[in-house]
Short mmCIF file of all heavy atoms in Angstrom, two decimals:
data_model
loop_
_atom_site.label_atom_id
_atom_site.label_comp_id
_atom_site.label_asym_id
_atom_site.label_seq_id
_atom_site.Cartn_x
_atom_site.Cartn_y
_atom_site.Cartn_z
N ASN A 185 78.81 86.41 107.07
CA ASN A 185 79.48 85.26 107.70
C ASN A 185 80.95 85.13 107.30
O ASN A 185 81.58 84.11 107.54
CB ASN A 185 78.74 83.96 107.35
CG ASN A 185 78.70 83.74 105.84
OD1 ASN A 185 78.85 84.68 105.08
ND2 ASN A 185 78.54 82.50 105.43
N VAL A 186 81.48 86.17 106.66
CA VAL A 186 82.88 86.12 106.22
C VAL A 186 83.69 87.15 107.00
O VAL A 186 83.20 88.24 107.26
CB VAL A 186 82.97 86.43 104.70
CG1 VAL A 186 84.40 86.62 104.25
CG2 VAL A 186 82.31 85.32 103.89
N LEU A 187 84.91 86.78 107.39
CA LEU A 187 85.79 87.77 108.05
C LEU A 187 86.73 88.37 107.00
O LEU A 187 87.47 87.64 106.33
CB LEU A 187 86.62 87.09 109.15
CG LEU A 187 87.66 88.01 109.82
CD1 LEU A 187 86.99 89.11 110.63
CD2 LEU A 187 88.61 87.21 110.71
N LEU A 188 86.69 89.69 106.88
CA LEU A 188 87.63 90.37 105.99
C LEU A 188 88.85 90.81 106.79
O LEU A 188 88.72 91.53 107.79
CB LEU A 188 86.97 91.60 105.34
CG LEU A 188 87.94 92.52 104.58
CD1 LEU A 188 88.54 91.82 103.36
CD2 LEU A 188 87.25 93.81 104.17
N VAL A 189 90.03 90.37 106.34
CA VAL A 189 91.28 90.83 106.94
C VAL A 189 91.83 91.91 106.02
O VAL A 189 92.27 91.62 104.90
CB VAL A 189 92.29 89.68 107.09
CG1 VAL A 189 93.57 90.18 107.74
CG2 VAL A 189 91.68 88.53 107.87
N LEU A 190 91.76 93.14 106.47
CA LEU A 190 92.25 94.26 105.65
C LEU A 190 93.62 94.65 106.21
O LEU A 190 93.72 95.28 107.27
CB LEU A 190 91.24 95.41 105.72
CG LEU A 190 91.54 96.65 104.88
CD1 LEU A 190 91.89 96.31 103.45
CD2 LEU A 190 90.34 97.59 104.90
N ASP A 191 94.64 94.20 105.50
CA ASP A 191 96.01 94.34 105.99
C ASP A 191 96.59 95.66 105.48
O ASP A 191 96.88 95.81 104.29
CB ASP A 191 96.81 93.13 105.47
CG ASP A 191 98.25 93.14 105.93
OD1 ASP A 191 98.72 94.16 106.47
OD2 ASP A 191 98.93 92.11 105.74
N GLU A 192 96.74 96.60 106.39
CA GLU A 192 97.24 97.93 106.03
C GLU A 192 98.65 98.15 106.59
O GLU A 192 98.94 99.17 107.22
CB GLU A 192 96.28 99.00 106.55
CG GLU A 192 94.89 98.89 105.93
CD GLU A 192 93.93 100.00 106.37
OE1 GLU A 192 94.12 100.57 107.46
OE2 GLU A 192 92.98 100.27 105.63
N ALA A 193 99.53 97.19 106.31
CA ALA A 193 100.91 97.28 106.81
C ALA A 193 101.61 98.55 106.29
O ALA A 193 102.49 99.09 106.96
CB ALA A 193 101.70 96.04 106.39
N TYR A 194 101.20 99.01 105.10
CA TYR A 194 101.87 100.18 104.50
C TYR A 194 100.98 101.42 104.55
O TYR A 194 101.14 102.34 103.75
CB TYR A 194 102.29 99.84 103.06
CG TYR A 194 103.21 98.64 103.04
CD1 TYR A 194 102.69 97.36 102.82
CD2 TYR A 194 104.56 98.76 103.32
CE1 TYR A 194 103.52 96.24 102.86
CE2 TYR A 194 105.39 97.66 103.36
CZ TYR A 194 104.86 96.40 103.14
OH TYR A 194 105.68 95.30 103.19
N PHE A 195 100.02 101.42 105.47
CA PHE A 195 99.02 102.49 105.55
C PHE A 195 99.65 103.89 105.57
O PHE A 195 99.23 104.80 104.86
CB PHE A 195 98.14 102.29 106.79
CG PHE A 195 97.12 103.37 106.97
CD1 PHE A 195 96.02 103.45 106.14
CD2 PHE A 195 97.27 104.33 107.96
CE1 PHE A 195 95.07 104.46 106.29
CE2 PHE A 195 96.33 105.35 108.12
CZ PHE A 195 95.23 105.40 107.29
N GLU A 196 100.67 104.06 106.39
CA GLU A 196 101.25 105.40 106.58
C GLU A 196 101.78 105.95 105.25
O GLU A 196 101.74 107.16 105.02
CB GLU A 196 102.37 105.36 107.64
CG GLU A 196 101.89 105.10 109.06
CD GLU A 196 101.61 103.61 109.34
OE1 GLU A 196 101.90 102.76 108.47
OE2 GLU A 196 101.07 103.31 110.42
N TYR A 197 102.29 105.05 104.40
CA TYR A 197 102.82 105.50 103.10
C TYR A 197 101.70 105.81 102.11
O TYR A 197 101.86 106.64 101.23
CB TYR A 197 103.73 104.42 102.51
CG TYR A 197 104.98 104.18 103.32
CD1 TYR A 197 105.13 103.02 104.08
CD2 TYR A 197 106.01 105.11 103.34
CE1 TYR A 197 106.27 102.79 104.84
CE2 TYR A 197 107.16 104.91 104.10
CZ TYR A 197 107.28 103.74 104.84
OH TYR A 197 108.41 103.54 105.59
N ALA A 198 100.60 105.09 102.23
CA ALA A 198 99.52 105.20 101.23
C ALA A 198 98.49 106.27 101.58
O ALA A 198 97.77 106.75 100.71
CB ALA A 198 98.83 103.85 101.09
N LYS A 199 98.45 106.60 102.87
CA LYS A 199 97.46 107.55 103.39
C LYS A 199 97.48 108.86 102.57
O LYS A 199 98.55 109.33 102.20
CB LYS A 199 97.86 107.87 104.85
CG LYS A 199 96.80 108.47 105.69
CD LYS A 199 97.31 108.52 107.11
CE LYS A 199 96.95 109.84 107.75
NZ LYS A 199 97.66 110.06 109.00
N GLY A 200 96.30 109.38 102.28
CA GLY A 200 96.25 110.64 101.53
C GLY A 200 96.31 110.44 100.03
O GLY A 200 96.30 111.40 99.27
N HIS A 201 96.37 109.20 99.59
CA HIS A 201 96.41 108.93 98.14
C HIS A 201 95.13 108.23 97.68
O HIS A 201 95.16 107.40 96.77
CB HIS A 201 97.64 108.08 97.80
CG HIS A 201 98.94 108.78 98.05
ND1 HIS A 201 99.54 109.59 97.11
CD2 HIS A 201 99.74 108.82 99.15
CE1 HIS A 201 100.66 110.09 97.61
NE2 HIS A 201 100.80 109.63 98.85
N GLY A 202 94.03 108.51 98.38
CA GLY A 202 92.74 107.97 97.93
C GLY A 202 92.41 106.58 98.45
O GLY A 202 91.37 106.03 98.13
N VAL A 203 93.30 106.01 99.28
CA VAL A 203 93.02 104.68 99.83
C VAL A 203 92.13 104.84 101.08
O VAL A 203 92.14 105.89 101.72
CB VAL A 203 94.31 103.90 100.20
CG1 VAL A 203 95.22 103.78 98.99
CG2 VAL A 203 95.03 104.56 101.36
N PRO A 204 91.37 103.81 101.43
CA PRO A 204 90.54 103.97 102.62
C PRO A 204 91.35 103.84 103.90
O PRO A 204 92.45 103.29 103.90
CB PRO A 204 89.56 102.79 102.52
CG PRO A 204 90.28 101.77 101.71
CD PRO A 204 91.21 102.50 100.78
N ASP A 205 90.80 104.36 105.00
CA ASP A 205 91.32 104.09 106.33
C ASP A 205 90.40 102.98 106.86
O ASP A 205 89.24 103.23 107.19
CB ASP A 205 91.20 105.36 107.18
CG ASP A 205 91.60 105.13 108.63
OD1 ASP A 205 91.56 103.97 109.08
OD2 ASP A 205 91.93 106.11 109.31
N GLY A 206 90.93 101.75 106.93
CA GLY A 206 90.11 100.58 107.25
C GLY A 206 89.36 100.69 108.57
O GLY A 206 88.33 100.05 108.76
N ILE A 207 89.89 101.51 109.49
CA ILE A 207 89.24 101.63 110.80
C ILE A 207 87.82 102.17 110.64
O ILE A 207 86.92 101.83 111.41
CB ILE A 207 90.10 102.50 111.75
CG1 ILE A 207 91.43 101.79 111.99
CG2 ILE A 207 89.39 102.75 113.08
CD1 ILE A 207 92.43 102.55 112.81
N ASN A 208 87.59 102.96 109.59
CA ASN A 208 86.25 103.48 109.33
C ASN A 208 85.27 102.40 108.88
O ASN A 208 84.07 102.65 108.81
CB ASN A 208 86.29 104.61 108.29
CG ASN A 208 87.03 105.81 108.82
OD1 ASN A 208 87.06 106.03 110.03
ND2 ASN A 208 87.66 106.56 107.94
N TYR A 209 85.77 101.23 108.55
CA TYR A 209 84.87 100.10 108.24
C TYR A 209 84.62 99.26 109.50
O TYR A 209 83.59 98.62 109.61
CB TYR A 209 85.46 99.21 107.15
CG TYR A 209 85.65 99.94 105.83
CD1 TYR A 209 86.86 99.89 105.17
CD2 TYR A 209 84.60 100.67 105.27
CE1 TYR A 209 87.04 100.55 103.97
CE2 TYR A 209 84.77 101.36 104.08
CZ TYR A 209 85.99 101.29 103.43
OH TYR A 209 86.16 101.96 102.25
N VAL A 210 85.59 99.26 110.41
CA VAL A 210 85.41 98.51 111.66
C VAL A 210 84.35 99.23 112.51
O VAL A 210 83.43 98.61 113.04
CB VAL A 210 86.75 98.40 112.44
CG1 VAL A 210 86.53 97.76 113.80
CG2 VAL A 210 87.77 97.62 111.64
N ASN A 211 84.51 100.54 112.62
CA ASN A 211 83.55 101.37 113.38
C ASN A 211 82.99 102.42 112.43
O ASN A 211 83.44 103.57 112.43
CB ASN A 211 84.26 102.08 114.54
CG ASN A 211 84.73 101.11 115.60
OD1 ASN A 211 84.18 100.02 115.75
ND2 ASN A 211 85.77 101.49 116.33
N PRO A 212 82.01 102.05 111.60
CA PRO A 212 81.54 102.99 110.58
C PRO A 212 80.86 104.22 111.18
O PRO A 212 80.06 104.09 112.11
CB PRO A 212 80.54 102.19 109.76
CG PRO A 212 80.60 100.78 110.25
CD PRO A 212 81.27 100.77 111.57
N ILE A 213 81.23 105.39 110.66
CA ILE A 213 80.53 106.60 111.07
C ILE A 213 79.56 107.03 109.97
O ILE A 213 78.56 107.69 110.22
CB ILE A 213 81.50 107.77 111.40
CG1 ILE A 213 82.83 107.60 110.64
CG2 ILE A 213 81.75 107.91 112.89
CD1 ILE A 213 83.72 108.80 110.69
N ASN A 214 79.88 106.61 108.74
CA ASN A 214 79.04 106.92 107.60
C ASN A 214 77.82 105.98 107.60
O ASN A 214 77.99 104.76 107.54
CB ASN A 214 79.89 106.73 106.33
CG ASN A 214 79.14 106.98 105.07
OD1 ASN A 214 77.91 107.04 105.07
ND2 ASN A 214 79.87 107.15 103.97
N PRO A 215 76.61 106.52 107.68
CA PRO A 215 75.43 105.65 107.76
C PRO A 215 75.24 104.75 106.53
O PRO A 215 74.53 103.76 106.58
CB PRO A 215 74.26 106.64 107.88
CG PRO A 215 74.80 107.96 107.50
CD PRO A 215 76.26 107.95 107.69
N ASN A 216 75.91 105.10 105.43
CA ASN A 216 75.79 104.26 104.22
C ASN A 216 76.70 103.04 104.26
O ASN A 216 76.64 102.18 103.40
CB ASN A 216 76.14 105.07 102.96
CG ASN A 216 75.12 106.15 102.75
OD1 ASN A 216 73.94 105.94 103.01
ND2 ASN A 216 75.57 107.33 102.33
N ILE A 217 77.61 103.02 105.24
CA ILE A 217 78.53 101.88 105.33
C ILE A 217 78.05 100.96 106.46
O ILE A 217 78.09 101.34 107.63
CB ILE A 217 79.99 102.34 105.63
CG1 ILE A 217 80.47 103.37 104.61
CG2 ILE A 217 80.95 101.16 105.73
CD1 ILE A 217 80.83 102.85 103.25
N PRO A 218 77.61 99.76 106.12
CA PRO A 218 77.14 98.85 107.17
C PRO A 218 78.30 98.24 107.95
O PRO A 218 79.42 98.18 107.46
CB PRO A 218 76.41 97.76 106.38
CG PRO A 218 77.02 97.80 105.02
CD PRO A 218 77.54 99.18 104.79
N LYS A 219 78.02 97.82 109.18
CA LYS A 219 79.05 97.20 110.01
C LYS A 219 79.19 95.73 109.61
O LYS A 219 78.20 95.00 109.60
CB LYS A 219 78.63 97.31 111.47
CG LYS A 219 79.76 97.16 112.46
CD LYS A 219 79.24 97.56 113.83
CE LYS A 219 80.09 97.01 114.95
NZ LYS A 219 81.40 97.57 115.05
N LYS A 220 80.38 95.32 109.23
CA LYS A 220 80.61 93.92 108.83
C LYS A 220 81.73 93.33 109.69
O LYS A 220 82.27 94.01 110.56
CB LYS A 220 81.00 93.86 107.34
CG LYS A 220 79.92 94.33 106.39
CD LYS A 220 78.77 93.34 106.28
CE LYS A 220 77.58 93.88 105.52
NZ LYS A 220 77.72 93.97 104.09
N ASN A 221 82.06 92.06 109.43
CA ASN A 221 83.13 91.43 110.20
C ASN A 221 84.48 91.73 109.55
O ASN A 221 84.84 91.12 108.54
CB ASN A 221 82.90 89.92 110.29
CG ASN A 221 81.71 89.62 111.15
OD1 ASN A 221 81.57 90.18 112.24
ND2 ASN A 221 80.81 88.78 110.67
N ILE A 222 85.18 92.67 110.16
CA ILE A 222 86.44 93.15 109.55
C ILE A 222 87.51 93.28 110.63
O ILE A 222 87.21 93.76 111.73
CB ILE A 222 86.21 94.53 108.89
CG1 ILE A 222 85.18 94.40 107.75
CG2 ILE A 222 87.52 95.12 108.35
CD1 ILE A 222 84.71 95.72 107.20
N ILE A 223 88.72 92.86 110.30
CA ILE A 223 89.85 93.21 111.17
C ILE A 223 90.89 93.94 110.32
O ILE A 223 91.23 93.49 109.23
CB ILE A 223 90.45 91.97 111.90
CG1 ILE A 223 91.61 92.41 112.80
CG2 ILE A 223 90.89 90.86 110.95
CD1 ILE A 223 91.99 91.42 113.88
N VAL A 224 91.30 95.08 110.82
CA VAL A 224 92.33 95.88 110.13
C VAL A 224 93.66 95.59 110.81
O VAL A 224 93.74 95.57 112.05
CB VAL A 224 91.99 97.38 110.23
CG1 VAL A 224 93.15 98.24 109.76
CG2 VAL A 224 90.74 97.68 109.41
N LEU A 225 94.69 95.33 110.01
CA LEU A 225 96.01 95.06 110.58
C LEU A 225 96.97 96.19 110.23
O LEU A 225 97.00 96.66 109.09
CB LEU A 225 96.56 93.74 110.03
CG LEU A 225 95.73 92.50 110.28
CD1 LEU A 225 96.43 91.27 109.70
CD2 LEU A 225 95.47 92.30 111.77
N ARG A 226 97.73 96.60 111.21
CA ARG A 226 98.78 97.62 111.00
C ARG A 226 100.04 97.15 111.72
O ARG A 226 100.00 96.22 112.52
CB ARG A 226 98.35 98.98 111.55
CG ARG A 226 97.04 99.49 110.95
CD ARG A 226 97.20 100.80 110.25
NE ARG A 226 95.95 101.20 109.66
CZ ARG A 226 95.21 102.25 110.04
NH1 ARG A 226 95.63 103.01 111.04
NH2 ARG A 226 94.08 102.56 109.43
N THR A 227 101.13 97.83 111.46
CA THR A 227 102.39 97.39 112.04
C THR A 227 103.31 98.56 112.40
O THR A 227 103.20 99.64 111.81
CB THR A 227 103.13 96.44 111.06
OG1 THR A 227 104.32 95.98 111.67
CG2 THR A 227 103.48 97.14 109.74
#
Side-chain angles (χ1 to χ4, degrees):
N185 60 338
V186 170
L187 175 67
L188 170 65
V189 181
L190 183 49
D191 181 349
E192 298 183 336
Y194 301 95
F195 178 73
E196 291 80 6
Y197 294 108
K199 198 172 138 192
H201 295 273
V203 303
D205 175 338
I207 296 175
N208 294 332
Y209 298 129
V210 174
N211 293 335
I213 26 169
N214 179 345
N216 294 323
I217 306 285
K219 200 169 160 68
K220 296 287 170 74
N221 291 314
I222 297 170
I223 181 161
V224 169
L225 301 181
R226 303 239 178 112
T227 182

